Amino acid sequence: MKEQAQDKQIGAPMNRVDGRLKVTGAAKYSAEYEIPGITYAVLVGSTITKGRLTSIDTRAAERAPGVLAVITHFNSPKVPGFDTAGKDPSQPATVGGPLKIFKDDLIRFNDQPIALVVADSWERARFAARLVKAQYAKEKHQTNLEANAAQAFLPTSAKKNPKSPMADYQRGQVDAYKTGAIKLESEYVIPTEVHHPMELQSITAHWEAPDRLTLYDKTQGTLATRRDFAREWNLPEENVKVIATFVGGAFGNALHSWPHESAAIIAAKVVNRPVKLMLTREQMFTMVGYRPYTWQKLGMSATPDGKITAITHESIGQTSTYEEFTESTLAQTRMMYQSPNVTTRYRLAALDIGSPIWMRGPGEATGAFALESAMDEMAHLLNLDPLEFRLRNYTDQDPEKNKPWSTKFLKECYQLGAERVGWNKRQLKPGSLRDGDWLIGYGMGVGTFGAHRGAATVGAQLLPNGTVLLQCATTDIGPGTGTVMTQIAAETLGLSPQKITFDLGKSSYPKAGTQGGSSTVNSVGPAVQEACLALKDKLRGIAASSNAAFASAKKEDVTLTDGYLTVGGNAATRVAYADLLRQPEAATAVTVEAKPGPEGQKYSMYSFSVHFAEVRVHQLTGEVRVSKLVSCADAGTIVNEKTAGNQMKGGAVGGIGMALMEHATIDDRFGRYVTKDFADYHVPVHADSPDVQVAFVNQPDPHVNALGTKGIGEIAIIGVAPAIANAIFNATGKRIRELPITPDKLI
Amino acid sequence: MNQFQYVRPTKRQAAIDAVAKDTTAKFIAGGTNLVDLMKRGIMTPQKLVDINRLPLTKIERENNGLRIGALALNSTVADDKQVREKQPLLSLALNAGASAQLRNMATVGGNMLQRTRCSYFYDLAMPCNKREPGTGCGALEGVNRMHAIFGFSDKCIAVHPSDMSVALVALDATVQVSGPRGNRSIPFADFHRLPGDTPEKDTNLEPGELITAVVVPDGPFTKHVHYQKVRERASYAFALLSVAAALDIDGNNTIKAARLAMGGVAHKPWRLTAAEQALVGKPATEDTFRQAAIVAMQGAKAFKYNAYKLKLGPNTIVQALKTAAAA
């Protein structure tokens, strides 16, 4: 059958290239590799929160059937990289470094791994793990942020660099809202939330030689993982292979290297066999990060005609005692609205808990809950429609950086969303709409996230069978990276997507950054584009030796179809691949790096979103149902409306969880979580989510990259929780400033 | 994993003997709770006596009532034509519980024997008198937003998690059991226990006693019934609080008979007989329901994090009765 190459691949709602593999179970995840001689490891966690491990009795565990080793800090081999003094340069956003597992006897948080049992089956390892008995010298611990707010401190990065985004920010007068005509001052709290991707954090570590390590790992960055563990073991990076072909969701928790990964590598050294380690769902709460509990205070003043005159936004986020984790909680407040006076102050409280890590829409989603709730509160004070209030304070250029936006189509998003949700039904007075015992309300929340782009390299090769193979070390944690890269390549080459293979998820492939911060399409997309253009040029050069038409052709005009290379599809110019491929292999392969240029100096680059919610609140039981949710995004060019829409919907459902149910709660007396499974830690089920409506402005941004993309992953969730909280206020007149908004808060 | 024996008798007496003679043995049917508890090391039976081969799945008429076999699946009972006609409240309560997948595995007998979902019970590193008598109650001064407001003791403030049982206690069901000393019937209200000084005992079953059936007597509650479950998400969550309500209303809108019970408030499904009496003979109006709700809450006492139940309780009773009356 003849495959017709479509002209327009970019934007087409193409099905996922790996969809069938995923739904049939053929896709292999990090815990599914069966290597001969494989062993299984289970971690034992501390049952105290702070203190010292005085002794650990592993005898019963060692005698248990099938057990090969029990590793603790008493017998662990030395990890050479653990002794390197000073801060870990591999963690640019953190000061300190990941926990160095089995290095000392200090207990820094509850469920900190204190032992690892390796056995010939997972069941036997788990059984033996329960037989490990530890003795501790307990010390008084601190796990409550409010109780430790007085000790909150400016992050080290801000102390060292006053221009750091974590430093105190000032434009106009300090705390000017206090003298404003109409003002408010509100405190907001978001609890700890945990990523909980469907796939548990897993790693299979295999020392293929004493100095050669292969890791099948759940990671968002194969190269970051390679770098971290090469450094831990003082190995050249090329001696460490990281494989993450499929990642079953991550939402940020695989952006960091965690102690369980180090533990598996240590264990593989000890037993001299491959070791597979998969965390339990309970361990997912304690040792692989979370969205930190954060307290915020927001002060705002405005003129009676609805112009914001000042905003002050302060926050205290929790971090661990051994690692300073920071995130951009206050970023949106500095640039979203036209206010002459803005003050932001970001602080940390170090508690006896594991380190946090960025969770989808990281700090911005936390900050937007305060900012966008306060916007709603001020609109209510002013007796103004919240959408109108936002329009009156719209920014046509970035007020923080004093630069033009690269593109900003947020007004268009407002319009699209307001129409779809039926914003005209919203009443200014809360509690005006009802259906029996159900109170109905409408709310909105805005989100933004930097349109980040980094360098990326892609290899492209024409194969003898007429297909093109592309390779890149990027990962695909679920957004559909392989699919959209195939589309970009298909369009650039003029080849059918079926003839393109995009291989990803291996550290041995050409370099790309970690999949995080909504940056993959922005970064890898142009590299695919440029690699495909370079490949065409290379082929054109080869063809030129036998066909004059190619000698004068531009690389953009070269098309690959149906076994032939042509100039602009002109049949008369056809050169068969078979002829081209008589050249040595390297001649038909290219590797190209694409990097951002100086545009970032000139423009302020952001994606924008707005979320509109219609909620129903039962006046007797306090139950909330989100009956409509409309998410509109200005994310530049949409490469695939299906996978992009899928990301938006996923983010919106995550926002429902954030608004209404997710809270990881610690009993501070013990420092242990009391919500440690899916019976206690609720995420939305289908019945909690309406059919989320998504609309894209779909206008290219000419400055981020040649594709015009800006990024989707984060803005999908940023602003959703306040949209729902604001809708609840509109329905009930109750302003809930502490998430999640559970029924008990509404009765 | 923990080693255990597994037997699968086909005769009732063999099953009873196997458990009666071995204090470390447990019956297993659907296993939807016991297997979880075993995986976490909370329950460590040395022997599992699988009763799925016993002929206890039937739902049949018996002496002006429905006799529901202990091994009837939750989903089967919820969808059963006779149950839906004669005891629609039971069907509603069953469908409010767990998920479709779990209801397809869980049995009627097993549902009644669910252990509490108290987080302290579920964590081996926390104190819990129910799991390990003498260690103290972690929830008493801990995070107790899910916990009891009725019938608790200073040894245990956990609640029973079953939805089905709330309907069964309201409907005056009886539990039929067979044991080493023969058969007996236990009124549903006496089946589960309050914690007192022995919170480790959830029920009044004697060692080796096997639930064989639940009998629900026919009654007038075939129309005006409702099961109102308030939870933190729309489905698949344990109740913050639930109410089973059944009314018999005559042509003058007067309540001839009423049944009311709450879930998520006590160590057992909590029958509200005084509130029922407050309803009988009164008009089926919101005002009547509010008065009954006040009666229902007498004696309730809250802890640090569950004071909301003192308000959610009466509100949910009113909502359940309103919905039942309108049904």
Side-chain angles (χ1 to χ4, degrees):
Chain A
M1 199 180 80
K2 193 173 161 172
E3 279 166 354
Q4 207 58 47
Q6 286 178 20
D7 289 342
K8 213 50 208 156
Q9 295 297 340
I10 293 176
M14 195 173 104
N15 286 340
R16 287 171 185 262
V17 294
D18 51 6
R20 178 173 284 272
L21 290 176
K22 286 183 174 174
V23 299
T24 57
K28 233 181 197 185
Y29 294 84
S30 56
E32 297 182 310
Y33 287 86
E34 287 305 327
I35 303 165
I38 199 154
T39 65
Y40 302 83
V42 170
L43 283 166
V44 181
S46 160
T47 55
I48 69 155
T49 302
K50 188 180 182 186
R52 281 177 188 278
L53 193 58
T54 51
S55 72
I56 187 157
D57 183 352
T58 58
R59 285 168 300 180
E62 281 160 1
R63 281 197 304 268
V67 171
L68 301 166
V70 181
I71 301 164
T72 70
H73 82 274
F74 290 108
N75 65 359
S76 172
K78 251 176 125 61
V79 177
F82 280 178
D83 290 327
T84 314
K87 76 166 197 168
D88 184 347
S90 71
Q91 306 297 335
T94 59
V95 174
L99 183 80
K100 295 176 172 72
I101 193 166
F102 306 143
K103 185 170 187 292
D104 57 36
D105 60 353
L106 282 179
I107 301 298
R108 298 161 178 88
F109 61 93
N110 211 305
D111 207 29
Q112 173 185 322
I114 55 166
L116 183 75
V117 177
V118 189
D120 58 3
S121 80
W122 182 74
E123 289 78 6
R124 286 173 145 181
R126 187 172 63 164
F127 172 72
R130 288 223 179 92
L131 303 176
V132 174
K133 300 288 173 224
Q135 301 292 323
Y136 306 93
K138 260 199 224 179
E139 289 167 36
K140 192 171 157 37
H141 62 255
Q142 299 294 335
T143 52
N144 186 288
L145 185 127
E146 266 98 9
N148 289 274
Q151 281 81 49
F153 57 90
L154 187 68
T156 308
S157 58
K159 282 180 200 147
K160 285 186 181 160
N161 174 13
K163 292 221 158 89
S164 152
M166 301 307 148
D168 289 358
Y169 170 80
Q170 189 57 54
R171 110 171 151 244
Q173 287 178 293
V174 178
D175 294 336
Y177 78 96
K178 288 183 176 169
T179 55
I182 299 167
K183 64 183 173 194
L184 61 83
E185 188 184 279
S186 298
E187 293 183 21
Y188 303 88
V189 170
I190 70 147
T192 295
E193 295 162 7
V194 188
H195 308 70
H196 282 309
M198 196 181 293
E199 182 198 21
L200 297 161
Q201 210 79 21
S202 314
I203 182 169
T204 302
H206 185 196
W207 288 94
E208 301 202 45
D211 63 346
R212 287 191 178 270
L213 179 62
T214 299
L215 303 174
Y216 304 87
D217 196 13
K218 181 188 177 93
T219 174
Q220 292 175 245
T222 55
L223 296 176
T225 300
R226 180 176 77 169
R227 175 201 61 206
D228 288 352
F229 295 111
R231 193 170 284 152
E232 271 191 17
W233 289 89
N234 282 351
L235 295 170
E237 287 200 8
E238 60 272 20
N239 284 24
V240 179
K241 276 198 291 190
V242 177
I243 295 159
T245 310
F246 291 97
V247 177
F251 311 115
N253 85 336
L255 286 169
H256 198 43
S257 291
W258 298 110
H260 74 275
E261 295 167 288
S262 304
I265 299 168
I266 293 170
K269 202 61 156 176
V270 170
V271 299
N272 200 24
R273 285 166 67 175
V275 170
K276 181 183 292 192
L277 194 166
M278 183 169 75
L279 295 190
T280 62
R281 189 55 73 183
E282 292 165 67
Q283 289 169 336
M284 295 287 284
F285 281 90
T286 55
M287 53 182 86
V288 286
Y290 52 86
R291 188 194 299 282
Y293 187 108
T294 301
W295 169 91
Q296 301 176 73
K297 185 160 103 179
L298 204 140
M300 185 186 286
S301 62
T303 60
D305 64 343
K307 292 274 189 196
I308 298 172
T309 52
I311 308 175
T312 293
H313 190 171
E314 299 170 71
S315 78
I316 306 173
Q318 70 179 22
T319 188
S320 65
T321 55
Y322 54 93
E323 197 168 16
E324 263 185 41
F325 169 81
T326 61
E327 57 182 355
S328 302
T329 309
L330 308 176
Q332 185 164 325
T333 299
R334 296 195 287 260
M335 48 61 79
M336 184 55 85
Y337 299 108
Q338 196 65 61
S339 171
N341 305 292
V342 173
T343 306
T344 67
R345 297 187 193 94
Y346 181 78
R347 298 289 181 274
L348 294 175
L351 301 177
D352 299 309
I353 46 171
S355 297
I357 193 62
W358 300 286
M359 179 163 153
R360 197 172 193 177
E364 285 83 347
T366 301
F369 171 58
L371 176 65
E372 293 297 308
S373 292
M375 288 297 288
D376 201 69
E377 295 194 39
M378 182 55 86
H380 181 68
L381 272 181
L382 295 165
N383 205 29
L384 261 183
D385 180 293
L387 176 51
E388 174 59 26
F389 179 50
R390 284 174 175 85
L391 287 170
R392 288 187 193 181
N393 295 281
Y394 198 79
T395 51
D396 291 316
Q397 70 158 18
D398 182 344
E400 180 189 11
K401 294 181 191 140
N402 285 315
K403 285 181 197 173
W405 305 113
S406 55
T407 49
K408 179 179 179 185
F409 297 101
L410 183 55
K411 266 184 192 161
E412 288 77 356
C413 292
Y414 287 170
Q415 198 181 346
L416 272 171
E419 274 169 24
R420 294 203 182 186
V421 81
W423 190 251
N424 56 356
K425 283 181 282 193
R426 182 183 186 276
Q427 304 294 308
L428 269 183
K429 191 175 172 322
S432 299
L433 296 175
R434 65 163 57 209
D435 172 12
D437 284 314
W438 293 92
L439 306 170
I440 298 168
Y442 295 86
M444 65 182 290
V446 179
T448 186
F449 197 80
H452 302 303
R453 179 182 173 189
T457 307
V458 166
Q461 189 186 353
L462 178 66
L463 300 179
N465 63 5
T467 67
V468 171
L469 174 66
L470 295 139
Q471 291 183 320
C472 179
T474 185
T475 55
D476 183 352
I477 61 172
T481 305
T483 306
V484 298
M485 296 308 158
T486 299
Q487 288 176 274
I488 293 167
E491 177 153 327
T492 312
L493 293 169
L495 197 62
S496 142
Q498 286 76 23
K499 298 237 159 136
I500 290 162
T501 305
F502 185 84
D503 277 349
L504 51 67
K506 286 187 183 164
S507 61
S508 54
Y509 292 158
K511 283 185 183 177
T514 293
Q515 182 157 77
S518 305
S519 63
T520 301
V521 175
N522 294 350
S523 311
V524 180
V528 167
Q529 220 177 11
E530 291 183 26
C532 290
L533 283 175
L535 178 65
K536 290 210 288 190
D537 200 34
K538 188 139 208 177
L539 298 173
R540 185 197 60 80
I542 300 168
S545 64
S546 63
N547 187 322
F550 285 91
S552 55
K554 283 186 278 187
K555 60 185 171 187
E556 289 78 8
D557 296 334
V558 174
T559 307
L560 286 74
T561 39
D562 242 6
Y564 294 94
L565 201 67
T566 65
V567 178
N570 179 357
T573 63
R574 293 197 324 185
V575 174
Y577 293 160
D579 294 334
L580 297 174
L581 290 161
R582 285 200 197 98
Q583 304 284 336
E585 188 182 281
T588 63
V590 296
T591 300
V592 176
E593 185 186 42
K595 293 195 268 208
E599 310 85 2
Q601 307 299 317
K602 216 168 141 191
Y603 296 102
S604 188
M605 299 174 171
Y606 286 91
S607 283
F608 297 92
S609 65
V610 61
H611 311 276
F612 287 91
E614 178 195 84
V615 303
R616 299 160 70 87
V617 183
H618 197 281
Q619 61 175 358
L620 284 173
T621 64
E623 291 163 290
V624 178
R625 300 283 180 260
V626 180
S627 43
K628 273 188 196 165
L629 193 52
V630 179
S631 291
C632 301
D634 162 23
T637 301
I638 300 306
V639 181
N640 181 328
E641 65 180 45
K642 210 174 207 175
T643 54
N646 188 221
Q647 274 205 79
M648 290 296 289
K649 288 181 184 189
V653 173
I656 293 174
M658 190 174 177
L660 300 181
M661 57 197 80
E662 293 185 49
H663 58 106
T665 305
I666 287 177
D667 182 332
D668 292 319
R669 297 171 304 162
F670 302 99
R672 276 177 87 77
Y673 281 104
V674 291
T675 50
K676 49 167 133 293
D677 58 29
F678 281 152
D680 290 323
Y681 186 87
H682 292 149
V683 294
V685 295
H686 283 297
D688 291 298
S689 173
D691 183 6
V692 179
Q693 294 182 49
V694 176
F696 294 110
V697 177
N698 202 6
Q699 289 289 331
D701 185 315
H703 305 297
V704 177
N705 61 30
L707 288 163
T709 62
K710 293 207 287 188
I712 293 172
E714 323 300 329
I715 56 164
I717 190 170
I718 301 167
V720 178
I724 293 169
N726 294 339
I728 289 170
F729 175 77
N730 185 239
T732 64
K734 286 181 179 138
R735 178 68 65 186
I736 310 299
R737 300 186 181 90
E738 181 170 358
L739 295 181
I741 307 174
T742 43
D744 50 298
K745 293 178 183 164
L746 291 171
I747 55 165
Chain B
M1 62 193 297
N2 286 308
Q3 302 285 320
F4 59 86
Q5 286 179 27
Y6 172 82
V7 292
R8 192 161 53 176
T10 51
K11 295 276 188 295
R12 183 188 296 189
Q13 200 54 49
I16 291 166
D17 287 348
V19 172
K21 286 174 187 155
D22 183 349
T23 53
T24 69
K26 286 274 169 206
F27 295 120
I28 184 165
T32 57
N33 191 206
L34 180 57
V35 172
D36 281 355
L37 293 164
M38 288 172 67
K39 281 183 184 172
R40 292 179 182 225
I42 297 161
M43 290 177 75
T44 51
Q46 303 297 299
K47 183 190 271 186
L48 287 184
V49 180
D50 184 333
I51 56 170
N52 285 300
R53 290 195 174 171
L54 304 187
L56 299 172
T57 58
K58 272 198 191 138
I59 303 171
E60 56 201 343
R61 299 286 310 156
E62 183 188 275
N63 303 333
N64 303 320
L66 274 180
R67 184 181 190 279
I68 302 169
L71 289 176
L73 298 177
N74 285 190
S75 50
T76 307
V77 180
D79 292 343
D80 182 82
K81 192 163 173 284
Q82 297 183 83
V83 172
R84 289 164 67 113
E85 275 171 17
K86 298 279 185 190
Q87 304 295 352
L89 180 62
L90 176 58
S91 179
L92 291 173
L94 278 163
N95 278 329
S99 64
Q101 292 86 344
L102 285 166
R103 293 194 294 271
N104 281 337
M105 281 299 287
T107 62
V108 165
N111 187 319
M112 291 159 57
L113 295 176
Q114 285 179 77
R115 310 296 314 269
T116 182
R117 291 284 166 168
C118 174
S119 329
Y120 298 89
F121 175 72
Y122 264 78
D123 184 347
L124 294 173
M126 293 278 208
C128 174
N129 287 323
K130 181 182 280 297
R131 190 188 65 245
E132 211 181 328
T135 53
C137 173
L140 195 63
E141 289 173 7
V143 182
N144 44 33
R145 68 189 295 269
M146 298 298 289
H147 291 74
I149 52 173
F150 290 114
F152 50 81
S153 72
D154 62 356
K155 299 285 190 294
C156 180
I157 63 169
V159 299
H160 195 260
S162 165
D163 291 300
M164 179 195 76
S165 297
V166 183
L168 287 175
V169 79
L171 295 168
D172 272 339
T174 52
V175 186
Q176 296 188 345
V177 304
S178 285
R181 282 177 292 189
N183 301 334
R184 64 178 181 130
S185 286
I186 308 171
F188 205 91
D190 299 332
F191 182 80
H192 296 97
R193 295 165 55 95
L194 290 180
D197 290 333
T198 52
E200 67 276 17
K201 290 185 77 172
D202 292 348
T203 71
N204 285 313
L205 281 178
E206 297 293 332
E209 276 189 328
L210 174 72
I211 303 169
T212 54
V214 172
V215 178
V216 194
D218 291 346
F221 308 110
T222 54
K223 185 166 187 283
H224 297 296
V225 298
H226 189 62
Y227 188 73
Q228 184 80 34
K229 182 175 180 181
V230 184
R231 43 188 158 179
E232 287 185 354
R233 63 181 170 193
S235 175
Y236 197 22
F238 291 99
L240 294 172
L241 192 143
S242 68
V243 172
L247 295 171
D248 182 18
I249 304 170
D250 71 12
N252 300 319
N253 200 37
T254 301
I255 299 168
K256 288 167 65 187
R259 295 291 175 73
L260 208 53
M262 283 174 112
V265 294
H267 198 259
K268 60 191 282 186
W270 197 248
R271 179 83 180 260
L272 301 164
T273 30
E276 289 170 6
Q277 282 158 19
L279 288 165
V280 174
K282 306 268 172 51
T285 61
E286 187 158 340
D287 193 46
T288 301
F289 303 152
R290 291 204 171 278
Q291 294 303 319
I294 291 167
V295 173
M297 297 305 292
Q298 281 167 8
K301 186 180 165 298
F303 295 90
K304 188 172 176 187
Y305 294 105
N306 69 352
Y308 71 93
K309 290 192 180 185
L310 300 182
K311 187 160 182 203
L312 184 59
N315 280 5
T316 308
I317 289 172
V318 171
Q319 180 59 27
L321 288 167
K322 272 167 63 175
T323 314

